Amino acid sequence: MSNKLNHSMSLAKPDVQDISTKQKIALATGLVGLLILILAFFNVNFPNRAVFLTLALSLITAGTVVYSRDAYLTKLEGIKNDGVWFKSISSRGAMGWALGVFLTAFYIVLYFYAELLGAGQGANGTNTGLIALFDPLSNLLSGRDASQWFVYGTLYTVAIAAFGYKFILKYRHNKYQQIRTVSVIFFQLGFAYLIPEFMHVMNSDLPYYDLKSVWPLNYYLFQDYHLNQFLSAGNIGTTLIIFGIVSTLVITPILTYKYGKRWYCSWVCGCGGLAETAGDSFRQLSSKKMSSWKLERWLIHAVLVFSVIMTVGVVSSFLKGGWVDGVFVEGNYWLSNEAFLTSVGLFLTVIFAGVMIFKRSELGKDALYGAIGYALVILSLFVVYFTGTNEEIFFVNSGTLKSAYGFYIGSIFSGVIGTGFYPILGNRSWCRFGCPMAAILGFQQRMLSKFRITTNGGQCISCGNCSNSCEMGIDVRHYAQKGENIVRSSCVGCGVCSAVCPRGVLKLENDSMDGRINPTEVLLGNDVNLMDLLNQK
Amino acid sequence: MEHIVIIGNGISGVTVARHIRKNSDKKITIVSAETDHFFSRTALMYIYMGHMKYEHTKPYEDYFWKKNRIELKRGYVKTVETKSKTLHFEEGDTLQYDKLVIATGSKPNKFGWPGQDLEGAQGLYSKQDLDNLERNAPNNKVCKRAVIVGGGLIGIELAEMLNSRNIPVTFLVRENSFWNGVLPEGESAMINRHIQNHHIDLRLGFNLKEIKADENGRVKSIVITETGEEIDCNVVGLTAGVSPNISFIKESEIETNRGVLVNRHLETNIKDVYAIGDCAEQRDSGIGQRRPIEAVWYTGRMMGETLAQTICDNKTEYKPGHWFNSAKFLDIEYQTYGWVFAKPRENEAHFHWKHEDDTKCITVCYDTTNNKFLGINTFGIRMRHEVFDKWLTEARDIDYVINNLPEANFDPEFYKHFEKDILSAYNNNLQTA
């Protein structure tokens, strides 16, 4: 049934449209910048690292900028999706797979073989290779040598800024897209990249803390070593712990109520920021199948339950105390382990009961899933409490739980699969299937938020542009063609469905909770009596 | 069990099938010669442009039909025998029905131009047309130039499609301004300029005289009637409107004119035979100011919604509400609510506002005797269907509409609003009028 000869597996001439000469030069420029980084990876010793690092990053940025300007500014404003399913890189062709393998390999090295990047491989533990290339910049910002995380953070920030610029040009007719992109660039550059470095300069006891990275996305925020670092940093550390708790329990629910989860996922979050900018070319690759949606609901909530159990377990054992030089030292904090577990148990019970009492009708079958999930969490908490053994939750050591979470979720899922597989699974597979923060925000978005995507009466023509460009794999058309608002947990509010709609059917809105979810039988435009008859049924 | 057979798996046929299933356990079969599954015809252009693949144009996953016990039959109906309630297929087999729904849609118009059936001359309506276009115009090396004949909605879509592959396009439009049989002058002129800004060679006021063939019987060039100019091209797009696709029932006892004649209940002259969508023609006259044949996506859907009630023993008249529609001209979106005719009719006047960037404008039509609001065309500004539908029902006057325009705005957040500009233009207009 294919309409097009599939050129995308061809390496020689993968695309329908040749790119312009200017674009070729820009591409070459960017690749030279990348080549410098690769040479550094292979331990080529550059005479002046600061110059070569600057050169590498500038060439990559300049290449992207020139390429984008030639791609978009030479055309009239409008939707720029021509050929996305023909281009090898954006349609799972040979180039897409090659990029996927490259990114995946990069993440594996980054997380598990940092020594290959040159971390501490020189004399007296100095850096070599790629990481050494970044030493001058790290020293400039915080007065210390670079780590693999500094290298990663720098490249990540450059990617969001450069591809963010590209995205802004692509959507230069769309203010929502532009402002949102400026926002993610700002939060990445400021909050994730610069501020933690400056915080280190001010107080070197402080651990790395990206203030916008909220628990449970920031799964290590409340881990014992992290808490110890905070506490040893004095008042500022304590303040930051409190800020972390307030972020999750107060700021997040208020903003999500008012604006939906988009305030975080597509305006602030770093993972979202990369997905929306560097990952934009891959948004159409997310699966819209019903089976994927089912998998998504189970998987993302499983990760959430895992992250809650892990964090509660870790905090619980931290509060109880720990072994110091072979002697067990009881925890001596204002919050006792018992009080902590009881309040967590109460909190979860209140949420569970609240949803069951007030939102039962909106849940349907999902209620059962939620019920089981939460019941498991609460049950496990009591197991922890009553078994009373120091570090065992579910008869598993909390340290084991912690490292399992860090390995499987923190590294493999969010990094290797989440980003490495952009060109295969789409740009939001982590956000969609794995992110526990997205699960919490989504749960609230579905239950208690003013946000929805409004559909415009009977104007939908079922063309499918909306579903095609939904990075979260929502079958937007399914709702639009029924004239039904889209109120879905997973929607990150990127607004691209609305942008690409050729008939002006979709609008992201914050409005009253009443009538937000409006399933209909017959759409606006038909006989009023028939609509009344069927829609009231 | 009663067997409902629907010929045509477009939006009309599929909607009636879905709603019959919701309301009954009848046996349902959908017959199509075009594709195995329902797809969105309106999205064909996006497949060629590479925005989507064919599978993305299917609004329902393939398991949907089995799950809902809707049988799909691929086949071309050659004749309908209403006495014995039998369909005869070109492939030789037959199918019995208890009730028959004809929902076969349209086919592109051909007006007897010399050479109209040559290889490379084609319309753009069906999946097969798209496949042909992919063969005839895969890139600008095979297709060095395309000529499009007919300045309507399909013509401009075809122009956009070919443009996306850098194929030079000459666009022959019979009228002296694009789609000005429907659009008021100011809007039509704005779209002319927009087409030209996309480097499409727009030729207004020209007709096709003939299509010439090369030695292999393929399109080689076309000749313009008015000037005699010959334009070399490899593809000729014939997009001068569509007409009902009903040749297979001309021999039957089902009464037809241009389309299958139906009454307000969508019944034909033969009991248990109905027609909906593009191929149906209202027997008496169009409903309200609507045309007797409406080849519009949503009217097909609404006829399907209505007919399903009748078939499920809740006899319901087809009563469409206020007219509305939408389209997209390259980068400019267009919506319309109520009636705005190209030229104001008796006791009608237009208020027209255009933004200086030449991509946004509105035209409001009102009754000059009582200032009643009759309709609006909006270009480049999205508006709410629900609000205009309400205002039309409430018979608001133009003052109310212009003053309350912000309520109807449907543009994405942070977009610049033009309601103040429109209001002050309107007030100035009143003072000078």
Side-chain angles (χ1 to χ4, degrees):
Chain A
M1 290 310 272
S2 166
N3 276 286
K4 179 131 195 75
L5 294 171
N6 191 0
H7 296 286
S8 63
M9 288 305 288
S10 146
L11 274 170
K13 195 172 168 52
D15 298 337
V16 182
Q17 304 297 350
D18 289 331
I19 57 173
S20 72
T21 311
K22 204 169 175 185
Q23 285 172 353
K24 283 177 190 157
I25 294 169
L27 205 57
T29 309
L31 288 175
V32 170
L34 197 61
L35 183 67
I36 296 177
L37 299 182
I38 290 170
L39 290 176
F41 173 78
F42 287 109
N43 282 313
V44 171
N45 229 335
F46 289 105
N48 187 333
R49 283 169 178 160
V51 170
F52 274 91
L53 175 64
T54 312
L55 195 61
L57 298 182
S58 312
L59 287 175
I60 292 173
T61 310
T64 316
V65 165
V66 172
Y67 188 99
S68 317
R69 293 181 68 88
D70 195 62
Y72 301 125
L73 293 184
T74 54
K75 299 193 179 102
L76 298 181
E77 295 179 2
I79 296 304
K80 299 282 172 268
N81 280 341
D82 288 351
V84 294
W85 278 105
F86 299 153
K87 289 176 187 149
S88 177
I89 198 158
S90 58
S91 64
R92 295 193 196 100
M95 281 165 65
W97 280 95
L99 180 64
V101 168
F102 175 78
L103 287 173
T104 306
F106 170 75
Y107 274 93
I108 291 172
V109 170
L110 176 73
Y111 282 113
F112 309 115
Y113 304 100
E115 66 276 9
L116 291 179
L117 298 174
Q121 297 299 297
N124 308 321
T126 54
N127 294 322
T128 60
L130 182 64
I131 298 183
L133 187 68
F134 283 74
D135 279 342
L137 183 59
S138 183
N139 275 301
L140 178 73
L141 290 173
S142 66
R144 56 185 163 169
D145 279 353
S147 65
Q148 77 265 36
W149 303 119
F150 180 80
V151 172
Y152 179 49
T154 309
L155 293 176
Y156 200 102
T157 307
V158 168
I160 289 187
F163 285 96
Y165 176 77
K166 175 175 181 275
F167 191 80
I168 286 172
L169 293 189
K170 182 176 175 184
Y171 285 101
R172 72 186 200 276
H173 61 293
N174 190 316
K175 263 273 159 53
Y176 180 79
Q177 298 303 338
Q178 294 182 326
I179 296 177
R180 187 171 72 77
T181 306
V182 170
S183 171
V184 293
I185 296 173
F186 168 78
F187 279 103
Q188 174 60 32
L189 181 63
F191 283 64
Y193 189 65
L194 295 177
I195 293 175
E197 298 296 331
F198 297 154
M199 275 161 63
H200 176 82
V201 174
M202 287 188 297
N203 186 337
S204 61
D205 289 333
L206 281 175
Y208 171 87
Y209 183 19
D210 169 2
L211 293 169
K212 68 169 173 49
S213 189
V214 180
W215 182 91
L217 175 59
N218 187 348
Y219 62 92
Y220 50 81
L221 185 59
F222 301 119
Q223 285 183 356
D224 42 5
Y225 75 95
H226 218 233
L227 290 173
N228 277 324
Q229 281 177 307
F230 274 133
L231 292 176
S232 64
N235 281 341
I236 176 78
T238 317
T239 312
L240 288 176
I241 295 179
I242 294 171
F243 177 76
I245 297 169
V246 169
S247 299
T248 301
L249 294 183
V250 182
I251 300 176
T252 296
I254 292 174
L255 290 174
T256 307
Y257 171 71
K258 290 178 80 122
Y259 308 111
K261 83 196 232 187
R262 57 183 172 151
W263 78 267
Y264 193 74
C265 297
S266 64
W267 283 72
V268 172
C269 179
C271 303
L274 190 72
E276 295 291 345
T277 52
D280 173 61
S281 305
F282 311 110
R283 58 174 57 249
Q284 67 281 357
L285 301 176
S286 65
S287 167
K288 276 76 187 181
K289 288 185 180 154
M290 179 65 86
S291 50
S292 306
W293 185 19
K294 283 188 178 146
L295 174 69
E296 163 197 323
R297 288 185 298 200
W298 280 104
L299 206 50
I300 194 169
H301 293 113
V303 174
L304 174 62
V305 170
F306 186 9
S307 103
V308 170
I309 291 177
M310 184 273 291
T311 305
V312 169
V314 170
V315 173
S316 168
S317 42
F318 175 81
L319 291 172
K320 272 201 150 179
W323 296 85
V324 180
D325 300 332
V327 183
F328 186 80
V329 183
E330 292 262 331
N332 182 22
Y333 306 99
W334 64 269
L335 182 66
S336 73
N337 181 32
E338 286 76 13
F340 168 71
L341 289 177
T342 313
S343 48
V344 170
L346 272 176
F347 179 72
L348 293 178
T349 310
V350 165
I351 289 181
F352 180 69
V355 170
M356 281 302 168
I357 294 166
F358 296 107
K359 296 283 174 181
R360 185 81 180 85
S361 61
E362 287 180 25
L363 276 178
K365 243 198 277 177
D366 290 318
L368 203 64
Y369 310 154
I372 295 167
Y374 272 105
L376 281 176
V377 174
I378 294 171
L379 194 70
S380 68
L381 288 175
F382 282 92
V383 170
V384 175
Y385 184 68
F386 286 115
T387 53
T389 47
N390 181 33
E391 290 195 326
E392 293 183 0
I393 310 169
F394 271 145
F395 310 104
V396 179
N397 181 288
S398 74
T400 314
L401 218 47
K402 182 176 75 179
S403 42
Y405 189 92
F407 180 77
Y408 290 109
I409 309 298
S411 307
I412 301 282
F413 205 157
S414 76
V416 179
I417 298 176
T419 312
F421 286 21
Y422 267 14
I424 308 302
L425 298 176
N427 56 334
R428 283 274 194 179
S429 51
W430 158 247
C431 313
R432 180 183 179 191
F433 296 106
C435 176
M437 177 78 183
I440 294 184
L441 295 174
F443 183 69
Q444 191 191 337
Q445 172 160 285
R446 180 67 181 70
M447 291 292 120
L448 190 69
S449 167
K450 295 154 97 60
F451 173 71
R452 89 291 311 275
I453 302 176
T454 308
T455 54
N456 200 5
Q459 290 280 26
C460 177
I461 52 165
S462 302
C463 71
N465 275 297
C466 51
S467 297
N468 180 59
S469 55
C470 180
E471 53 190 355
M472 294 303 281
I474 299 172
D475 188 3
V476 185
R477 166 174 56 191
H478 171 80
Y479 301 88
Q481 68 191 358
K482 292 196 291 181
E484 186 177 335
N485 291 346
I486 294 112
V487 181
R488 276 279 292 268
S489 325
S490 60
C491 175
V492 293
C494 70
V496 174
C497 58
S498 161
V500 298
C501 176
R503 303 299 180 108
V505 175
L506 302 161
K507 178 172 164 64
L508 281 64
E509 287 190 295
N510 314 306
D511 201 345
S512 126
M513 291 276 294
D514 297 332
R516 191 173 69 118
I517 300 170
N518 59 344
T520 51
E521 285 280 309
V522 172
L523 283 78
L524 182 62
N526 209 339
D527 177 10
V528 182
N529 299 324
L530 180 63
M531 287 176 69
D532 288 348
L533 173 81
L534 294 175
N535 294 338
Q536 278 165 14
K537 251 198 313 209
Chain B
M1 194 163 38
E2 196 176 36
H3 187 195
I4 314 293
V5 175
I6 299 157
I7 310 177
N9 69 347
I11 179 66
S12 315
V14 161
T15 305
V16 74
R18 280 177 46 242
H19 282 263
I20 293 171
R21 176 52 71 240
K22 282 182 186 195
N23 292 298
S24 77
D25 269 330
K26 295 178 202 293
K27 182 178 176 192
I28 304 171
T29 304
I30 302 181
V31 178
S32 170
E34 188 180 13
T35 51
D36 289 332
H37 299 101
F38 170 48
F39 72 98
S40 178
R41 192 172 304 292
T42 51
L44 283 177
M45 63 182 295
Y46 300 107
I47 301 175
Y48 181 85
M49 288 161 68
H51 296 203
M52 284 192 268
K53 301 216 282 192
Y54 169 69
E55 58 258 37
H56 303 130
T57 66
K58 291 194 262 187
Y60 303 97
E61 284 186 62
D62 292 349
Y63 68 78
F64 175 88
W65 309 102
K66 198 168 181 190
K67 188 181 154 209
N68 289 289
R69 291 170 289 122
I70 295 172
E71 286 178 33
L72 305 176
K73 172 166 171 58
R74 188 84 187 259
Y76 186 84
V77 178
K78 204 171 67 182
T79 50
V80 181
E81 211 174 80
T82 50
K83 283 210 175 65
S84 59
K85 296 192 167 183
T86 310
L87 302 182
H88 294 270
F89 290 92
E90 200 167 63
E91 295 79 7
D93 51 339
T94 59
L95 186 68
Q96 297 282 319
Y97 65 83
D98 295 309
K99 282 184 176 147
L100 179 68
V101 180
I102 299 165
T104 46
S106 306
K107 58 177 177 18
N109 283 335
K110 292 183 177 180
F111 291 114
W113 295 294
Q116 65 183 15
D117 295 318
L118 290 171
E119 282 284 302
Q122 64 161 108
L124 181 71
Y125 182 84
S126 66
K127 175 70 168 51
Q128 284 70 29
D129 291 336
L130 182 75
D131 296 342
N132 286 336
L133 188 66
E134 188 62 63
R135 269 193 300 278
N136 293 332
N139 54 48
N140 59 13
K141 300 197 176 56
V142 175
C143 177
K144 296 195 169 58
R145 175 168 291 276
V147 175
I148 297 171
V149 182
L153 297 178
I154 299 179
I156 197 164
E157 285 184 1
L158 185 56
E160 182 178 0
M161 291 161 71
L162 294 162
N163 219 23
S164 78
R165 294 200 187 176
N166 295 335
I167 295 171
V169 173
T170 297
F171 194 4
L172 290 192
V173 175
R174 183 183 56 180
E175 296 78 19
N176 58 18
S177 182
F178 177 79
W179 216 36
N180 68 354
V182 176
L183 300 180
E185 194 187 344
E187 300 171 349
S188 171
M190 185 179 90
I191 300 300
N192 290 341
R193 293 187 291 272
H194 186 64
I195 293 170
Q196 283 158 340
N197 288 342
H198 274 274
H199 311 296
I200 292 165
D201 173 26
L202 178 65
R203 307 283 186 96
L204 295 170
F206 288 115
N207 283 279
L208 172 67
K209 185 177 173 206
E210 65 168 314
I211 306 170
K212 290 190 170 176
D214 65 7
E215 62 277 12
N216 303 317
R218 286 196 56 90
V219 166
K220 179 187 81 165
S221 64
I222 61 110
V223 180
I224 294 177
T225 311
E226 284 73 10
T227 58
E229 184 189 352
E230 185 170 346
I231 300 173
D232 290 340
C233 60
N234 305 96
V235 166
V236 177
L238 302 173
T239 58
V242 295
S243 47
N245 176 28
I246 54 165
S247 50
F248 71 103
I249 49 171
K250 289 288 184 191
E251 303 293 302
S252 77
E253 290 174 5
I254 303 166
E255 205 182 333
T256 61
N257 179 34
R258 283 183 57 221
V260 183
L261 289 170
V262 294
N263 61 19
R264 295 291 157 95
H265 289 94
L266 306 167
E267 297 162 329
T268 66
N269 63 317
I270 307 288
K271 189 173 179 297
D272 294 335
V273 178
Y274 309 85
I276 55 174
D278 286 18
C279 70
E281 177 173 350
Q282 282 292 326
R283 180 178 290 280
D284 303 321
S285 64
I287 298 171
Q289 297 177 65
R290 288 166 183 262
R291 295 176 190 182
I293 299 175
E294 288 187 301
V296 179
W297 179 267
Y298 78 87
T299 53
R301 193 198 69 228
M302 295 196 313
M303 289 185 218
E305 291 165 353
T306 310
L307 180 60
Q309 294 299 316
T310 302
I311 287 178
C312 296
D313 303 323
N314 171 30
K315 194 162 180 176
T316 306
E317 193 181 326
Y318 173 54
K319 286 193 287 187
H322 300 294
W323 169 255
F324 68 95
N325 203 5
S326 59
K328 193 172 181 187
F329 304 106
L330 299 159
D331 296 316
I332 300 180
E333 287 174 25
Y334 153 72
Q335 295 180 333
T336 183
Y337 301 102
W339 290 109
V340 181
F341 290 92
K343 290 201 168 56
R345 295 175 307 173
E346 206 184 345
N347 298 327
E348 281 183 6
H350 285 174
F351 161 69
H352 181 67
W353 168 89
K354 187 165 76 65
H355 189 262
E356 62 191 11
D357 77 358
D358 211 23
T359 65
K360 301 170 194 78
C361 73
I362 67 164
T363 303
V364 181
C365 179
Y366 61 100
D367 187 324
T368 48
T369 57
N370 55 11
N371 277 345
K372 194 177 131 189
F373 167 70
L374 298 175
I376 182 169
N377 281 353
T378 166
F379 288 76
I381 303 174
R382 294 176 174 180
M383 304 221 185
R384 271 179 214 270
H385 184 186
E386 206 178 352
V387 171
F388 280 111
D389 194 77
K390 193 178 75 177
W391 287 346
L392 286 164
T393 301
E394 293 168 351
R396 296 288 183 180
D397 63 21
I398 184 172
D399 274 348
Y400 180 90
V401 169
I402 300 284
N403 278 290
N404 288 278
L405 265 189
E407 195 189 323
N409 187 290
F410 200 71
D411 270 338
E413 293 152 300
F414 304 115
Y415 267 45
K416 196 169 180 320
H417 282 231
F418 302 100
E419 287 93 2
K420 274 185 192 149
D421 295 4
I422 294 169
L423 180 62
S424 66
Y426 175 70
N427 288 334
N428 286 338
N429 208 35
L430 283 188
Q431 280 158 11
T432 55

